[in-house]
Amino acid sequence: MVTIPDINFGVIAPELILSLTACAVLIIDVFVKKRGWGAAYLSLAAVLAAMLWASYNFEPVTTFSGMYEADRFTQFFKLIFLLGTGLTILISVRYAQDENIDHGEYYALLLFATVGMMFMAAGSDMITIFMGLELLSISLYILAGYTRSRMVSNEASLKYFLLGAFASGFLLYGMAFIYGITGHTQLELIAATIAESPSNVLLLTIAAALILVGLGFKIAAVPFHQWTPDVYQGSPIPVTAFMSAGPKAAGLAAILRIFYEGVSYLHVDWTIWLSALAVMTMTLGNVAALVQKDAKRMLAFSSIAHAGYALVGVAAANRDGASSVMYYMLIYTFMNIGVFGILALVARKNESRTQVNDFSGLAYKNPLLAVVMTILVFSLAGIPPMAGFMAKFYVFMAAMKAELYLLVLAAVINSAIGVYYYLRFVIVMYMREPDAAAESLPVLKASPALVIALLIALYGIIRLGISPGGYLAFAEAAFISF
């Protein structure tokens, strides 16, 4: 007897919208030879349509034979991914034109990568999660080296591909171990099997550790972070912005799915290991960022540090911890892509000016841009009343409730270290004059698309900092549903 799988195209409508638009962009780009024909705005329209659909309140459902779970948790992360993609497209419009990469496949790859992230968050089966991870990874490998004329971009793509394939091997080995032991790939059935017969604990623990290695690479957790500085520095700035936010959130979503839903009945104290991972990630990221002169490398190590802060919430292993991680990634998407948007403007053509000192005198040449940058870096540093402070506050409070006092102490110390290098941007913008080479350059003018992106980022940072209640309640309800 043939079993017909249950299929619900409604719950995957956002993925279908993005996939069909990506295919349409590729086809149209073949026949329309004119540069700037509108691939960016067609892709942006698809993102907005997908966001509207994803915002619709629906009853949680598991479909596609238990491989796809559409619940509030999935919905929350989908909105984060779509927000990040929309902001990336907006900051890409002028950059892609200036760097001569304004092609349809650039935007198609962004959309396909977003689809991969959605499958990672919605995967209630290890096969779905792995499929989403590979779709995301392959798209990012290409995007990292998209500016083919720059040797450093080619190097970034190759390094990301080689290390990413290695990390995927760890992940796949871990999943294969779990399947071999339990006979299932669905997370719910894996949990039930472990609960009924908790044998082979050692092998299951090794399998879960292998999965953590694979996903730790994706979120740039120490010691799986080696690719991050070079890849972030070599990739086009909008691509760096994209991979610093969305894929990190997708990796954390997969970690929450697997460790809270799949191997939750495995009687192993993961708190110790996750706490150690969080401390190493925060510390190395912040300390290494202190000595960086290149803004992209500084933000790369900053991204590693923020992964450590998010892992504090994962280590808490409670409802508050999981919901605070979700809230943290929403805020992080606003502030990090906003900073990279300004960097894309300051860097100019061929990214010739990406040093921190290249921001010198920005407050005098473009006061409004300097104010926006100040707000963004204050939020990244966790200075109230910016949203970054609230994000860290809720993550640390979740760890306090779990009685992880030493972990919270380490996180607070690391936050203080982070303030130092973030304030370097403010110091050079307001307290230093531009160098002679900068004086001869044209005045910085933000494109309308970049202005919109920065306004959205500012709104998110201020709104979530002053009135976080509704968004945090949404994150709590999203976690309860799963």
Side-chain angles (χ1 to χ4, degrees), residues 63-144:
T63 185
F64 294 96
S65 298
M67 298 185 72
Y68 187 102
E69 192 163 356
D71 52 16
R72 298 285 181 259
F73 179 86
T74 302
Q75 182 185 36
F76 192 94
F77 273 104
K78 278 186 179 182
L79 293 174
I80 293 176
F81 304 148
L82 291 167
L83 171 66
T85 305
L87 291 175
T88 301
I89 291 173
L90 287 171
I91 69 174
S92 295
V93 174
R94 173 68 64 81
Y95 179 94
Q97 293 172 355
D98 292 343
E99 299 296 327
N100 198 27
I101 59 171
D102 189 21
H103 308 297
E105 60 265 24
Y106 173 82
Y107 298 101
L109 287 167
L110 287 176
L111 297 182
F112 281 131
T114 307
V115 173
M117 291 188 285
M118 289 180 172
F119 279 122
M120 287 181 68
S124 55
D125 189 291
M126 292 189 298
I127 296 175
T128 307
I129 294 173
F130 185 75
M131 180 183 69
L133 176 67
E134 289 305 293
L135 178 58
L136 167 64
S137 298
I138 292 170
S139 300
L140 289 180
Y141 298 153
I142 301 170
L143 286 169

Side-chain angles (χ1 to χ4, degrees), residues 308-336:
Y309 299 136
L311 284 171
V312 172
V314 179
N318 54 30
R319 187 186 71 182
D320 291 333
S323 59
S324 66
V325 170
M326 297 163 67
Y327 181 69
Y328 193 104
M329 293 317 300
L330 173 62
I331 293 172
Y332 182 74
T333 300
F334 279 116
M335 56 192 184
N336 215 48

